[in-house]
Every structure is written in structure tokens, then in C-alpha cells.
């Protein structure tokens, strides 16, 4: 069963015609041509990791649904993608899952704007850790991720992108913890911090050279 296929979706939202229509719309959104990193492959990766980490969540189904919606709206030219994605989840899931779960999904989607869940937020920890797992990949995987993000912001000049990307990296490095789940934090944190620091140094070197 595909992680992004209808069968996986139907386990969470049912098999009704309305559910199938919503699944198709969500998949279409993740398939938009301007996406280079925030695409179906990223969605599948996050869903896979959420599945592995779901034992730590208090509402695994809500976390899985939040993964489906966390970047369902992704326009690099706007700064409110998470807010609009959360509203998209509220609209799309209405009538498919209980209202309290819809609200939890929306709350979790909003958390991915800053990746800073509260210490007692198990659902938020699972989603945010899965979303940021790419930061802890091997250097070549991280480099491919960073390059894909740069492509998504092709409308920005190098100077504009460097300023914005530097701010994002600084914000991530300033988090109280990059990863919240003990099962992954010990292994992932040093690798992620090394990757972030290396990219930051490269950006600052390029900025200084220019």
C-alpha cells in the first residue's frame, strides 16, 4: 500500500466519495509543478516517519492527517502557508472525521510554522520531528534538500534568498531542541546541527564574497 495512496488515506478519513474527492485534491496540491522539495516525496517521507514514531503520540490518526495537510498549501511567495494549510484541513476534513480531531489536525499544522511544540505536546513532537528529519540526513542528502529549497525560491535573487535562508537556519539552531522525542533526539540532533551549521557557513561565505 502506497503511503500517499487512497487506501492509506481511507484508514483515516473513510472510503466515501467525499473522502476520495478530498484525497485526490490533496494529492494534486502536493503535485504542483513549482514544488521541488515540498512535494509528494516529502509527504511520503513524513508519513513514513510519523508511522514509525506514532507510538509516542496521544492521537496518532490526528498526527497522520496533519502530515497530509502540513504543506498542502505551499507558495514560496507568501508567508502564511501554514495558516492557510490549517484552514484547508478544517474545510477538507469537515464531515469526514470528528470535529475535535479536525481541530487537533489544524493545531498541529500550525505548529510546523515554528517547529516548537510544548514539552508535553506528544502529537506535536511526533509531527515536528518527522518534518525536520531531513536536517539529520547524510551531508549529500542534506545538500540535495537545500538545493531543492533554493529552486523553490528561484524568484528571489541570491542576496534575498541568502538573507531569508540565514534567518530560517538561525531560528532552527535557536530552538530549545531540534528534536523532542528521546527515541531520535540523541542520534539526529548532532547530525542536524552539523548540517545546519555547514549550510550557514557556506551562505555567509558566499554573502561575504559578493
Amino acid at each position: 500500500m502506497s503511503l500517499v495512496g487512497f487506501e492509506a488515506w481511507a484508514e483515516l478519513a473513510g472510503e466515501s466519495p467525499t473522502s476520495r474527492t478530498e484525497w485526490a485534491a490533496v494529492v494534486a496540491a502536493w503535485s504542483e509543478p513549482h514544488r521541488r522539495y515540498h512535494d509528494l516525496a516529502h509527504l511520503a517521507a513524513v508519513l513514513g516517519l510519523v508511522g514509525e514514531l506514532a507510538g509516542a503520540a496521544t492521537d496518532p490518526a490526528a498526527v497522520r492527517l496533519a502530515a497530509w495537510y502540513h504543506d498542502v498549501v505551499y507558495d514560496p511567495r507568501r508567508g502564511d502557508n501554514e495558516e492557510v494549510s490549517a484552514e484547508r484541513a478544517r474545510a477538507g476534513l469537515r464531515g469526514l472525521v470528528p470535529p475535535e480531531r479536525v481541530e487537533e489536525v489544524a493545531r498541529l499544522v500550525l505548529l510546523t510554522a515554528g517547529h516548537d511544540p510544548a514539552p508535553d505536546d506528544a502529537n506535536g513532537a511526533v509531527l515536528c520531528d518527522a518534518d525536520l528529519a531531513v536536517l539529520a540526513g547524510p551531508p549529500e542528502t542534506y545538500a540535495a534538500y537545500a538545493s531543492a529549497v533554493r529552486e523553490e525560491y528561484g524568484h528571489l535573487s541570491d542576496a534575498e534568498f541568502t538573507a531569508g535562508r540565514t534567518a530560517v537556519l538561525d531560528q532552527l539552531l535557536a530552538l530549545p531542541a531540534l528534536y523532542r522525542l528521546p527515541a531520535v533526539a540523541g542520534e539526529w540532533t548532532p547530525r542536524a546541527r552539523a548540517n545546519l551549521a555547514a549550510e550557514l557557513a557556506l551562505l555567509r561565505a558566499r554573502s561575504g564574497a559578493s
Side-chain angles (χ1 to χ4, degrees):
M1 180 176 65
S2 167
L3 288 169
V4 298
F6 180 66
E7 288 183 17
W9 167 270
E11 288 180 356
L12 303 168
E15 298 185 2
S16 68
T18 301
S19 177
R20 185 175 286 276
T21 298
E22 177 62 5
W23 164 78
V26 169
V27 169
W30 281 93
S31 305
E32 292 165 336
H34 68 272
R35 296 172 183 251
R36 294 295 182 270
Y37 171 70
H38 296 86
D39 57 8
L40 277 176
H42 171 61
L43 172 59
V46 173
L47 284 168
L49 284 164
V50 165
E52 293 175 21
L53 302 173
T58 57
D59 187 349
V63 182
R64 287 188 170 97
L65 283 168
W68 278 95
Y69 282 98
H70 79 283
D71 281 319
V72 70
V73 175
Y74 183 72
D75 180 353
R77 296 175 185 269
R78 62 190 301 163
D80 61 349
N81 287 306
E82 291 82 10
E83 289 87 345
V84 183
S85 292
E87 289 306 313
R88 178 69 182 76
R90 285 193 178 100
L93 292 174
R94 189 175 297 121
L96 297 179
V97 301
E100 60 272 15
R101 180 163 287 159
V102 174
E103 285 309 305
E104 176 65 356
V105 170
R107 184 189 72 83
L108 291 168
V109 170
L110 289 171
L111 265 184
T112 62
H115 297 95
D116 191 16
D120 61 348
D121 185 358
N123 291 338
V126 171
L127 180 62
C128 289
D129 282 10
D131 193 29
L132 293 184
V134 65
L135 304 181
E140 61 274 16
T141 302
Y142 183 91
Y145 145 74
S147 177
V149 170
R150 178 64 183 102
E151 287 185 46
E152 291 180 333
Y153 285 86
H155 59 285
L156 296 181
S157 69
D158 285 342
E160 290 169 330
F161 176 78
T162 296
R165 183 67 177 167
T166 297
V168 169
L169 299 179
D170 281 336
Q171 179 259 327
L172 287 168
L173 285 168
L175 287 172
L178 271 172
Y179 302 105
R180 306 307 175 95
L181 298 176
V184 300
E187 180 183 356
W188 290 3
T189 299
R191 297 203 307 245
R193 288 192 172 278
N195 283 330
L196 291 168
E199 185 186 359
L200 202 51
L202 182 62
L203 289 171
R204 286 179 171 150
R206 287 175 179 168
S207 178
S210 63

